[in-house]
Each structure stands twice: as C-alpha cells, then as structure tokens.
Amino acid sequence: MGTSWVQLSETLTGRAKEKRIPLMGQFELTSRCNLQCKMCYVNNSASDIQAISRERSAKEWIQLAEDAGRAGMLYLLLTGGEVFLRQDFREIYGEISLMGFNTHIYTNGTLITPEIASWLGQRPPSQIEISLYGMSPDTYGKVSGFTWGYERALRGIDLLRSQGINLKLRMTLVQGNIHDSERFAEFAQERGLEFGYVKYISPRREGCNTYPEAERLSPELLAEFEMNLDKHFGFEEPKQFEHFALGKALDASPFDEWNVESCDPFYCTAGKCSFWSTWDGKLTPCSLLDSPAAFPFENGFLKAWSALQALCSSIPVCGKCSECPLLQECWTCPARLKNETGFFDKPAPYLCELAQRIHGNLKAAQKL
Amino acid sequence: MKIKEGFMLREIADSWVVVPVGKRVVEFNGLISLSESGALLWQKLENGAAEEDLLKSMLHEYEIEEDAALADIRDFIRTLDEKGLFE
C-alpha cells in the first residue's frame, strides 16, 4: 500500500493505454448553462427546449456509468454545460457516487445552494472544480454575460468549503479577465484552495451563440503570459502551476512519448484509455471533438468503445506538424487542428504563431 | 477485525484498487493500491476475519512459510489500522 497517488495513476494509465481499457470517462451531462460565456465551446441556453429534448435521461447516464465501470473506468468527470441545471442531477450523481469511481465535477458554482452543498457533503466527489470568470461583478459579467454570477459563484465556493469538500478553482483566460489573474491567485490562496487555469480556448465545437476566437488571447499575449506566470499570478518566488486543458488533451512535454512512425494521431490518452460522452449521446475521443463518434446508448458501451478506437486510428496525422522543428513548443493536437482549420491534418495559424512566440520567448530568455 | 463500510475493491488494468464511496470520501479521499495478496486479505476483512482466518487463507492460496505469511498479515493489519480503516 506504499504506492503514491501519482505512481498509481501513472501505472494504471500506462497499462490502460496499452490494453485499451477505458480508465477515464468524461460525461457531459448537458450542453445548457445558466451563464453565456462567449468563449465556451458548448453552450446552449438554460431553457433551450430543443437541447433539453435531446439530452440523455438519468437512467441512461447511470447505465452508461455501470457499463463503463465494468469495462474498467475508474476516473469519472461529470461536466456540462452546467451540471446543476439538470433537475435530475441528484438522481444521476446519487447512483454514480456509489459505484466505485474517483469522481470529479466541473461547475461554475452559481447554482450551489445550502441544501445542495449539504447534500453533496454527504456523498462528496473526490473533487469539485469551479470555474471563475472574473474577480469582480464587472469582469465576471463581461465574460459570462451576468454580473450577478460573481457573488453567486463566491457563495457557492464558500458553501462547498463549509462542507469540507475538496475544491479546486480554475480560471479560463480570455481578453476580458486576464487583468484579474493576480487577484484570482490571491483569492484561491486566501481560501487555501488549489488553482489552475485554462490556457487554450478552442473554436466552438458545435453550433451555439459563441465566438471563442474573438475572446481568446492573441498568440503574442498568451505566449507572454505563459512565460511570466509568476508575475501574472503575483508570486515573488517561482511556483509550479497545474495547467488545465480542456478534455485533458494537453500535458507538459506531450511529445516525449509520441511516436510519429506509429501513425497514432493522438499523443494523449484520447481514444486509448479515455473517452468523452457528449450531452446528446456520442462517444468521442475528447471534449473538443464531435467526430469521430460512436454511439454507446444505441449500441452498448463496449461496442461503442471498440468502434471509437478504430475510428481514432483512422484520423490522419498532420505531416507538416510532425516534421516541424517547433513541435516541442507547439500545442498542436488533432482535435485542435480540426476545430481551428476544419481538418485533422492541416496546420492551424493560431497554433503555429503561438509556437513561434513561445519559441522566441524561450530563446530570448536563453532557456533553449 | 472488520473493514468499515463504504469501500469498494476493484480490479482495474491488472491492479487491485480500493475506492471510497459515498460518505466515506469525507474521511478518506483517495485510492488504495493493493497487491494480489493484499486484495485477498481485504476481501476476507470486508466480512470480518480473525488473524488465524487470514493466515489460513494465505497458506491455502500461496506457497509461503507460515512465519513469513504471519509477518505479512500483521504488517498489513497494522497499516490498515493506522489509516483508521477498521470498524
């Protein structure tokens, strides 16, 4: 029993990748949200009747969890949209919390009431990650569309903390809130909470009223932020930061184990030991993609998982990217290329410029 | 000796992992990794077992000297006890 958390996770992930066991599942329970962040990749309005009618039922999500669990799922993320908009969230989570998963929940925290916090405190997930979109009503409103969200998010954080639930805060960096990064770090530290940030904003995954490209940081600004994290988060001493990546598609030095010769388009765990299940019932490699897709609710989880692996292996590798001298500094991946350009194998100008900027900054700092 | 309610032993990717469920996450938020023999002992302790029951199981399942098995069992029990996993 002497294995550390990190060692155990690494061992399990390595074996699961090799054996194609769906160790990590991500359930997108809804596309609807009570906020309207312009940079969101999936965001229908809270009362969208059409979206509601296409959501999968609580019974279906519970069944999917059971089936995925039997196939080896250990880590489970429940996310949206905003999961607490679902009237049947308690039914779903209540069942799933007893199935033996290490469960995380993503939420904006604004719908957390004393009653919900108390209920969660009786059956806490391993962690709840709360997105904060600004550190004042004004900034929060500019980014999410609703100034009232700020106070409600803070109330949600404190209610969950009062239940002893393990919380982590994250900030999605966009033009409208980058000036709040230092205040965000202070706030997290004041409350003794871990924090991280989402640094890459993808073009939207599916049709909704957002335009993330207009909100995200320019390659120049993002590269500068990355280079000076301590300054932007207000630390006098260098600190290690956890970078949240949507769909966990990006890790530090992701290409170290990536073998271009293997023709494996994904350097991450997508389609090998992790999957994403969209709100309307598709099984996809990660959060950014709505294709390739398999259909677990129609064909059963195991068949869909098997089909997804086959579909992933047919995704073309971007030849230009794999031969690029800046690959080690680049944030490229098939999902990002697809959303940026419409193709899996076409270099994306935003990512190319970002890699050039990062490379230039590193070189200037004589770190290469 | 009996392990508290609210833990689930799972075999995943050729590993034995114990996961806290429901309210148990409040006091134990993480995973426990067990060896194969640890998993055998855990299964016995889930239903309640005395040291001699555990020893009998170990000797039945593995080719191991009795003294060595007993030492392993006591070590395992001490670790569980230190983590507050017994009722």
Side-chain angles (χ1 to χ4, degrees):
Chain A
M1 293 201 296
T3 314
S4 75
W5 172 273
V6 174
Q7 284 172 326
L8 176 61
S9 293
E10 284 179 355
T11 302
L12 289 173
T13 303
R15 285 190 195 150
K17 271 172 91 169
E18 191 184 318
K19 292 172 178 281
R20 296 295 193 258
I21 295 168
L23 184 71
M24 296 175 256
Q26 295 159 102
F27 291 2
E28 183 182 78
L29 299 179
T30 179
S31 63
R32 295 176 295 122
C33 189
N34 58 327
L35 303 180
Q36 291 295 310
C37 300
K38 295 168 192 161
M39 71 288 187
C40 193
Y41 64 97
V42 52
N43 182 344
N44 284 313
S45 68
S47 56
D48 187 322
I49 302 292
Q50 271 203 326
I52 292 172
S53 70
R54 290 173 57 203
E55 285 176 2
R56 311 308 298 213
S57 70
K59 197 176 165 189
E60 287 176 307
W61 286 114
I62 292 165
Q63 184 64 53
L64 186 70
E66 277 182 9
D67 294 345
R70 270 195 292 274
M73 182 173 75
L74 174 63
Y75 302 104
L76 173 61
L77 169 66
L78 301 177
T79 185
E82 173 48 47
V83 293
F84 289 102
L85 267 181
R86 280 192 70 128
Q87 299 297 312
D88 54 6
F89 180 77
R90 291 194 198 196
E91 183 185 348
I92 297 169
Y93 179 71
E95 289 283 334
I96 283 176
S97 68
L98 297 173
M99 290 183 187
F101 302 125
N102 185 268
T103 307
H104 286 217
I105 297 174
Y106 283 2
T107 175
N108 60 39
T110 60
L111 297 175
I112 301 294
T113 62
E115 191 197 0
I116 291 173
S118 170
W119 183 81
L120 283 168
Q122 296 299 308
R123 49 189 71 68
S126 181
Q127 187 169 72
I128 295 181
E129 296 183 12
I130 296 187
S131 296
L132 265 178
Y133 300 109
M135 293 312 302
S136 69
D138 184 50
T139 303
Y140 199 100
K142 280 179 184 161
V143 174
S144 74
F146 299 101
T147 53
W148 50 256
Y150 176 68
E151 294 298 338
R152 288 202 200 171
L154 263 51
R155 184 187 69 158
I157 290 166
D158 287 334
L159 284 169
L160 293 171
R161 278 180 72 231
S162 72
Q163 293 294 326
I165 294 172
N166 181 28
L167 292 186
K168 185 181 274 187
L169 304 183
R170 61 177 180 161
M171 182 178 189
T172 303
L173 280 179
V174 289
Q175 293 172 31
N177 64 16
I178 189 170
H179 59 277
D180 271 358
S181 57
E182 187 171 345
R183 177 70 198 110
F184 168 72
E186 280 173 11
F187 175 83
Q189 289 198 308
E190 282 163 13
R191 281 163 170 75
L193 301 176
E194 284 183 73
F195 73 95
Y197 65 101
V198 177
K199 56 185 183 178
Y200 171 71
I201 305 293
S202 170
R204 68 187 187 192
R205 190 186 75 199
E206 54 187 84
C208 51
N209 298 320
T210 63
Y211 187 48
E213 293 96 313
E215 308 302 318
R216 65 185 180 182
L217 304 184
S218 67
E220 183 179 8
L221 200 50
L222 183 50
E224 190 279 327
F225 192 93
E226 279 284 293
M227 196 69 193
N228 298 293
L229 292 177
D230 295 317
K231 182 188 89 180
H232 288 292
F233 286 120
F235 296 119
E236 291 178 8
E237 297 294 325
K239 281 188 179 291
Q240 291 292 317
F241 290 97
E242 178 170 346
H243 299 213
F244 290 92
L246 293 173
K248 299 187 188 302
L250 186 74
D251 296 309
S253 304
F255 300 104
D256 290 348
E257 295 178 15
W258 190 49
N259 181 4
V260 178
E261 302 300 320
S262 71
C263 295
D264 180 359
F266 291 97
Y267 55 74
C268 62
T269 57
K272 292 195 272 288
C273 68
S274 67
F275 64 88
W276 185 271
S277 190
T278 66
W279 62 279
D280 52 353
K282 288 180 279 197
L283 200 74
T284 67
C286 73
S287 62
L288 298 184
L289 292 171
D290 60 4
S291 68
F295 299 92
F297 295 103
E298 287 75 15
N299 303 325
F301 178 78
L302 275 180
K303 274 190 182 174
W305 172 241
S306 180
L308 182 65
Q309 290 168 58
L311 290 165
C312 284
S313 65
S314 67
I315 289 176
V317 175
C318 177
K320 283 189 178 173
C321 288
S322 59
E323 290 170 13
C324 179
L326 300 181
L327 183 62
Q328 291 294 328
E329 285 94 43
C330 189
W331 298 5
T332 184
C333 83
R336 291 174 179 166
L337 295 184
K338 179 73 162 55
N339 280 2
E340 294 276 350
T341 71
F343 299 91
F344 286 112
D345 54 356
K346 188 175 172 186
Y350 180 83
L351 296 175
C352 292
E353 187 185 340
L354 183 61
Q356 285 160 8
R357 297 277 183 186
I358 291 172
H359 181 76
N361 288 349
L362 287 170
K363 205 170 175 183
Q366 296 183 319
K367 288 191 176 177
L368 280 183
Chain B
M1 293 169 292
K2 190 168 187 287
I3 284 172
K4 288 176 179 172
E5 296 285 323
F7 290 100
M8 190 179 287
L9 176 65
R10 300 187 59 196
E11 187 179 11
I12 293 167
D14 299 330
S15 293
W16 290 96
V17 179
V18 176
V19 189
V21 297
K23 179 80 175 168
R24 197 58 68 191
V25 179
V26 175
E27 64 190 71
F28 192 96
N29 188 357
L31 300 172
I32 302 170
S33 170
L34 296 179
S35 63
E36 191 180 319
S37 57
L40 173 72
L41 297 175
W42 183 280
Q43 283 168 318
K44 296 287 173 193
L45 289 164
E46 278 181 329
N47 300 314
E51 189 179 90
E52 52 268 31
D53 301 322
L54 300 176
L55 182 61
K56 205 180 289 179
S57 298
M58 283 283 275
L59 295 176
H60 181 261
E61 202 66 34
Y62 300 103
E63 286 185 19
I64 185 172
E65 293 294 326
E66 187 170 331
D67 286 352
L70 199 55
D72 284 352
I73 288 167
R74 286 179 176 163
D75 191 38
F76 186 75
I77 288 170
R78 189 169 50 251
T79 307
L80 295 188
D81 199 29
E82 283 169 3
K83 292 182 184 299
L85 300 180
F86 287 123
E87 281 183 349

